[in-house]
Amino acid sequence: MQERHDAPLAPLTTFRLGGPATRLITAVTDAEVIDAVREADETGTPLLIIGGGSNLVISDKGFEGTALRIATTGFALDGTRLELAAGENWSDAVARTVAAGLAGIECMAGIPGSAGATPIQNVGAYGQEVASTITEVVAYDRRTGDTVTIPNAECAFSYRHSRFKEDPTRYVVLRVRFELEDAGGLSAPLKYPETARALGVEAGDRVPAAVARETVLRLRAGKGMVLDAEDHDTWSAGSFFTNPILTAAEHAAFLDRVAERLGPDVAPPAFPAGDGMIKTSAAWLIDRAGFTKGYGAGRARISTKHTLALTNRGEATTEDLLALAREVRDGVHEAFGVTLVNEPVTVGVSL
């Protein structure tokens, strides 16, 4: 277990923003993770858990307490059953399952971050989300001091949400278990229209899993959603805002605002979200509110490739980023009456 004091946190995040931590511990085994968490809890020390750093917005002042970087490793494949240590690189794990001829997570290729973060956020992209394949999450319960195994049905998964996100100070994810599919090297049925169009097939069709993965990587790269140190469009947290989910009444009011602003023939994206709810597109809202690709004149700007990504152009501060985020959020609300919610976790700051 490595320990550093007054340690910079910006290099541990994909935004490359944020001040130092009083102490930074890097844990490489589950036991080291648990020991560090227990020590912090027993001494009343504030604790920040860091995995791949792809979903964090940290204050310019940094973090007064212990930052725990989970760097555990472990990839175990038994037939169609997969177990990943929390510190495993997610995108690399996806590549290894595809190479093994298995389906179920191939369309989540290129998502930055660690495996342990995936159940917290119920990570998903291009028609897949981890809730569909996770069977169990092994976690340290800070309330009881026990290591617990939580089955999928008790994870309370929903769109970009889970019981782990609902109660972020209780559980520390140690391992994640999945049940994948052996479809003879083919992908799971494609659900996302953009992916199907790019492949020249219909939604519901299967293609070779490796081809699906490569296609998703190409689509993500075109939007600046695959990490590249030389490309400032990837100095981001990917999608900064979640897609709004509206009640029927909220959606009707939204459509009235769209007609008033853009004309009666304009139809915004709409997708069933269960229980009579309707999901619309945050990217569409941002663009139609006037915040187009590359928007901004400062050190933090909207990506030149995708309106949903807010980016550090190289010398930004967290406050620069938050000022842009607030401008976008408030502009969308003024235009359409819909309030966008940030997807990344904020540390020491708020939107």
Side-chain angles (χ1 to χ4, degrees):
M1 187 159 59
Q2 300 176 2
E3 181 174 332
R4 297 172 58 194
H5 294 268
D6 195 27
L9 295 180
L12 302 181
T13 74
T14 53
F15 266 123
R16 306 184 187 210
L17 296 176
T22 307
R23 182 172 70 150
L24 171 65
I25 292 175
T26 299
V28 297
T29 68
D30 290 353
E32 289 181 354
V33 172
I34 293 170
D35 286 346
V37 174
R38 280 179 174 161
E39 179 193 26
D41 290 345
E42 289 170 358
T43 59
T45 304
L47 182 66
L48 171 64
I49 305 294
I50 300 177
S54 61
N55 206 42
L56 286 177
V57 178
I58 299 174
S59 163
D60 290 317
K61 295 180 180 179
F63 183 72
E64 293 188 11
T66 295
L68 172 60
R69 178 172 171 261
I70 298 180
T72 53
T73 57
F75 177 101
L77 194 57
D78 180 11
T80 56
R81 297 178 181 177
L82 171 67
E83 179 178 287
L84 296 176
E88 279 288 329
N89 179 282
W90 172 254
S91 191
D92 289 349
V94 171
R96 292 176 71 177
T97 64
V98 170
L102 299 178
I105 58 176
E106 63 280 354
C107 290
M108 290 182 277
I111 294 177
S114 61
T118 60
I120 298 171
Q121 191 74 3
N122 186 16
V123 163
Y126 293 93
Q128 292 180 344
E129 59 183 17
V130 293
S132 298
T133 49
I134 286 176
T135 57
E136 296 175 330
V137 176
V138 180
Y140 175 68
D141 187 340
R142 298 170 67 182
R143 184 179 301 172
T144 65
D146 298 321
T147 297
V148 296
T149 299
I150 303 172
N152 180 296
E154 297 178 15
C155 290
F157 287 127
S158 60
Y159 174 65
R160 300 298 175 268
H161 203 69
S162 68
R163 73 180 292 178
F164 311 106
K165 188 174 182 179
E166 183 71 26
D167 193 357
T169 63
R170 179 168 181 180
Y171 297 103
V172 179
V173 175
L174 301 174
R175 298 188 169 266
V176 189
R177 295 172 180 152
F178 301 81
E179 179 65 42
L180 304 178
E181 179 187 6
D182 184 352
L186 296 180
S187 69
L190 298 171
K191 296 181 179 180
Y192 202 68
E194 183 182 9
T195 314
R197 285 196 302 270
L199 286 161
V201 299
E202 299 294 325
D205 288 349
R206 295 177 184 261
V207 299
V211 173
R213 173 180 173 271
E214 291 162 5
T215 301
V216 165
L217 287 173
R218 186 172 66 252
L219 291 171
R220 290 184 64 87
K223 300 173 183 177
M225 298 291 186
V226 177
L227 294 180
D228 180 350
E230 302 302 317
D231 183 359
H232 287 290
D233 277 333
T234 74
W235 290 29
S236 75
S239 300
F240 193 88
F241 296 103
T242 59
N243 290 322
I245 297 179
L246 310 175
T247 65
E250 290 169 340
H251 188 250
F254 165 54
L255 292 179
D256 287 343
R257 296 288 286 271
V258 170
E260 178 184 340
R261 182 181 177 90
L262 302 177
D265 297 328
V266 175
F271 310 94
D275 298 325
M277 308 290 280
I278 301 165
K279 180 166 68 175
T280 191
S281 165
W284 188 94
L285 288 165
I286 292 167
D287 183 72
R288 298 312 190 278
F291 302 101
T292 54
K293 295 174 184 177
Y295 177 88
R299 297 175 295 185
R301 303 178 195 173
I302 290 178
S303 166
T304 66
K305 299 180 179 74
H306 199 293
T307 54
L308 202 47
L310 308 188
T311 67
N312 171 9
R313 305 317 294 183
E315 297 181 351
T317 65
T318 299
E319 282 305 313
D320 292 333
L321 175 74
L322 293 175
L324 176 63
R326 292 174 186 129
E327 182 183 2
V328 171
R329 177 199 62 191
D330 295 347
V332 166
H333 187 269
E334 181 179 354
F336 298 113
V338 176
T339 301
L340 296 178
V341 176
N342 54 289
E343 186 168 329
V345 175
T346 54
V347 179
V349 293
S350 62
L351 196 55

